[in-house]
Amino acid sequence: MKCKICNKQTKRIFSFGKMPIANGFLTNVTDHEYLYNLTINFCSFCLMVQIGDTVPATKMFNKNYHFISSTSETMIDHFKKQAKEILNIIKNKNNPLIIELGSNDGIMLKHIARKKYRHLGIEPAQNVASIAIKNGVNTTTEFFNLKTARKIAAEYGKADVICGSNVTCHIEDLNSVARGVYELLKNDGVWFFEDPYIYDIIHKTSFDQIYDEHIYYFSGLSVKNFGELHGFELVDMKPQQFHGGSMRYYLKKKNNNKITKRVKLLLTREIRNHLNKYSGYIQFSRNIKMICHDLKKLVIKLKRNGSSIAGYGATSKSTTLLKLVKISAIHIDYITDNTTTKIDKFTPYTHIPVKSRQYYLQHIPDYMLLLAWNHAKEILNKERQFRNKGGKFITFFPKVKII
Ligand code: TMP
Ligand code: ZN
């Protein structure tokens, strides 16, 4: 498999076998499902970790996209803070322009819109884009690439800030994105993006982050190389307690920019953990197998003892976990989720029914598999009553545990 950034040969870290589309919730279990071969690979040249085969973007981000950002309090709060940081960056700028790639339902940009700053959200999934528009966020429904960038630059002029959260790693042709950002960004502008951080994925063995939408798994080292390929410098990195451990990368056009100490420290830590070498990823692959084995064993034991198990959070990432561990509707009665568009649908491939919170309150299980583990703090807090009445949660990263 060739590297999608530098076109050199990559090495396979792990193969997950055939997978359905992670967000491909089904209306009927008999619906046709698109399957692809999921592998994760490492490029020893530009150090980018990436999946091998990809799914056409229109199959993932279309009018039926089920990921709505504003379903979690943690997320609402996170993006309010991010907007505050942007307002700080632009505070002395004249008539600034802020552009967000993958603006979803406008969870972040609505704070910028409320302050009447010029802004544009670029969101290819029509259903979520229309929520943003209703929220007063100026949004265009398209994919971002060099062509779109040129069109936007002609209409709006150049941007002071271009940002994207949990979107950059979704775009296969990242080289085209970087070229587009370069053209659309002012010379002193900043491009920042945040995505799940490979360092955290390796440390927690959170392999469920690996699915069709996440094409790249960035490290500071790979983002630095990628940026330099396109005339950018990596000027800052800020760790985020989000999606189980993310990193926000800040890039500026090459111009002897000040690089923060944090960048040097984080890059050094990555090298110390061998993220610059294929050998640094071998243990990860062993750990994946161990967690799958332990989780399957526990689920089977609980079922044998007559316990009922439900899932909490019909996340995209749980598609990888459930399929790889071979957990299906035989083991899990249902998965509760608060996203209206997912309710009463079925999980991809494993066909577990997704049910409302109301349904869950009427069908309390003995155990809850915490699929939305990245929201553990919020969920455990919200479900105190379940636990007080003897209900238990099953977590699985970095080790399978009952809590
Ligand atoms: P995410 O892990 O990709 O952010 O997805 C979280 C999923 O979990 C999303 O479908 C919403 C759902 N969820 C609930 O149903 N209840 C909750 O309290 C939280 C925090 C999330
Ligand atoms: Zn490469």
Side-chain angles (χ1 to χ4, degrees):
M1 193 63 67
K2 289 276 174 69
C3 172
K4 299 178 207 330
I5 301 296
C6 74
N7 211 28
K8 301 267 178 28
Q9 194 60 38
T10 62
K11 274 181 148 175
R12 176 175 300 179
I13 300 169
F14 191 83
S15 173
F16 294 82
K18 289 270 180 221
M19 279 285 162
I21 291 176
N23 233 317
F25 291 87
L26 305 169
T27 307
N28 299 298
V29 290
T30 48
D31 289 352
H32 170 74
E33 289 187 77
Y34 179 92
L35 299 179
Y36 71 100
N37 224 352
L38 177 61
T39 62
I40 181 154
N41 308 290
F42 174 69
C43 174
S44 315
F45 299 92
C46 72
L47 313 183
M48 190 66 83
V49 177
Q50 55 201 280
I51 62 170
D53 285 353
T54 54
V55 169
T58 47
K59 283 202 186 293
M60 300 185 281
F61 312 109
N62 49 39
K63 64 180 182 358
N64 298 320
Y65 192 57
H66 289 290
F67 187 86
I68 312 238
S69 289
S70 303
T71 47
S72 134
E73 289 303 321
T74 320
M75 229 170 330
I76 292 170
D77 186 53
H78 177 83
F79 286 110
K80 196 168 165 189
K81 285 196 188 122
Q82 192 187 95
K84 220 167 165 184
E85 184 175 332
I86 293 179
L87 291 171
N88 199 33
I89 296 175
I90 58 167
K91 71 175 181 240
N92 296 319
K93 309 265 182 193
N94 183 24
N95 197 18
L97 172 65
I98 298 101
I99 294 180
E100 186 182 18
L101 315 185
S103 42
N104 202 276
D105 59 1
I107 188 169
M108 192 286 283
L109 274 184
K110 71 176 184 205
H111 300 287
I112 306 288
R114 276 187 201 147
K115 300 260 179 201
K116 306 260 182 282
Y117 282 111
R118 289 196 307 136
H119 67 276
L120 176 67
I122 304 171
E123 173 52 63
Q126 209 173 50
N127 58 334
V128 284
S130 47
I131 303 175
I133 293 166
K134 272 191 212 131
N135 283 336
V137 175
N138 183 31
T139 308
T140 170
T141 310
E142 51 201 325
F143 287 101
F144 184 81
N145 50 36
L146 182 57
K147 203 172 138 209
T148 343
R150 285 185 175 148
K151 199 181 80 187
I152 294 167
E155 192 180 338
Y156 292 82
K158 298 207 176 193
D160 296 83
V161 175
I162 298 181
C163 61
S165 300
N166 304 306
V167 65
T168 311
C169 76
H170 291 191
I171 308 176
E172 179 160 11
D173 192 358
L174 259 195
N175 289 326
S176 172
V177 169
R179 284 186 210 111
V181 169
Y182 199 90
E183 287 210 12
L184 187 53
L185 194 66
K186 284 187 185 159
N187 283 341
D188 64 347
V190 58
W191 175 24
F192 75 78
F193 54 88
E194 65 184 54
D195 289 282
Y197 184 36
I198 188 69
Y199 177 89
D200 289 310
I201 295 178
I202 301 270
H203 273 254
K204 297 194 175 91
T205 318
S206 47
F207 63 86
D208 62 352
Q209 290 290 357
I210 303 165
Y211 57 89
D212 52 348
E213 287 177 30
H214 293 167
I215 295 172
Y216 299 101
Y217 303 82
F218 300 130
S219 60
L221 294 165
S222 62
V223 169
K224 182 172 183 289
N225 288 339
F226 161 67
E228 284 171 4
L229 211 62
H230 294 281
F232 290 98
E233 279 175 308
L234 175 64
V235 296
D236 203 359
M237 287 167 72
K238 289 188 187 166
Q240 308 292 317
Q241 296 303 329
F242 199 57
H243 277 305
S246 293
M247 184 60 76
R248 189 180 294 161
Y249 307 91
Y250 297 76
L251 294 109
K252 287 184 128 188
K253 289 188 181 176
K254 213 167 212 147
N255 187 20
N256 279 327
N257 295 299
K258 187 176 158 286
I259 316 277
T260 64
K261 235 193 207 158
R262 208 165 23 223
V263 172
K264 288 173 195 137
L265 286 173
L266 288 165
L267 294 187
T268 308
R269 189 181 70 165
E270 289 179 7
I271 293 171
R272 223 177 33 238
N273 283 273
H274 310 293
L275 296 187
N276 56 337
K277 290 187 266 201
Y278 178 72
S279 59
Y281 298 87
I282 294 173
Q283 188 58 38
F284 174 56
S285 158
R286 291 189 193 120
N287 293 346
I288 296 177
K289 288 183 190 148
M290 193 180 70
I291 289 179
C292 287
H293 170 266
D294 293 355
L295 184 58
K296 187 66 188 271
K297 205 167 124 190
L298 175 66
V299 165
I300 289 181
K301 187 176 120 198
L302 295 177
K303 288 308 286 179
R304 283 217 181 107
N305 292 345
S307 301
S308 57
I309 313 175
Y312 204 107
T315 57
S316 323
K317 55 187 171 288
S318 60
T319 299
T320 295
L321 181 100
L322 296 169
K323 166 79 170 49
L324 194 66
V325 184
K326 298 196 181 79
I327 293 179
S328 67
I330 316 169
H331 314 99
I332 306 276
D333 300 339
Y334 65 89
I335 299 175
T336 179
D337 198 285
N338 59 6
T339 313
T340 22
T341 55
K342 289 181 188 173
I343 294 168
D344 291 330
K345 294 217 164 73
F346 297 88
T347 57
Y349 197 89
T350 47
H351 299 176
I352 303 168
V354 181
K355 297 291 181 188
S356 64
R357 178 167 176 77
Q358 214 170 2
Y359 181 93
Y360 145 62
L361 294 174
Q362 287 159 0
H363 300 79
I364 302 280
D366 300 315
Y367 291 86
M368 276 279 192
L369 186 60
L370 188 51
L371 298 167
W373 57 269
N374 48 316
H375 300 283
K377 208 168 140 201
E378 181 175 341
I379 292 171
L380 293 182
N381 193 28
K382 194 156 111 188
E383 304 306 339
R384 268 189 311 241
Q385 216 182 0
F386 167 70
R387 295 175 80 203
N388 287 343
K389 287 188 173 163
K392 304 263 187 231
F393 275 97
I394 303 169
T395 61
F396 33 81
F397 296 139
K399 262 175 79 173
V400 175
K401 232 171 54 180
I402 295 178
I403 53 169

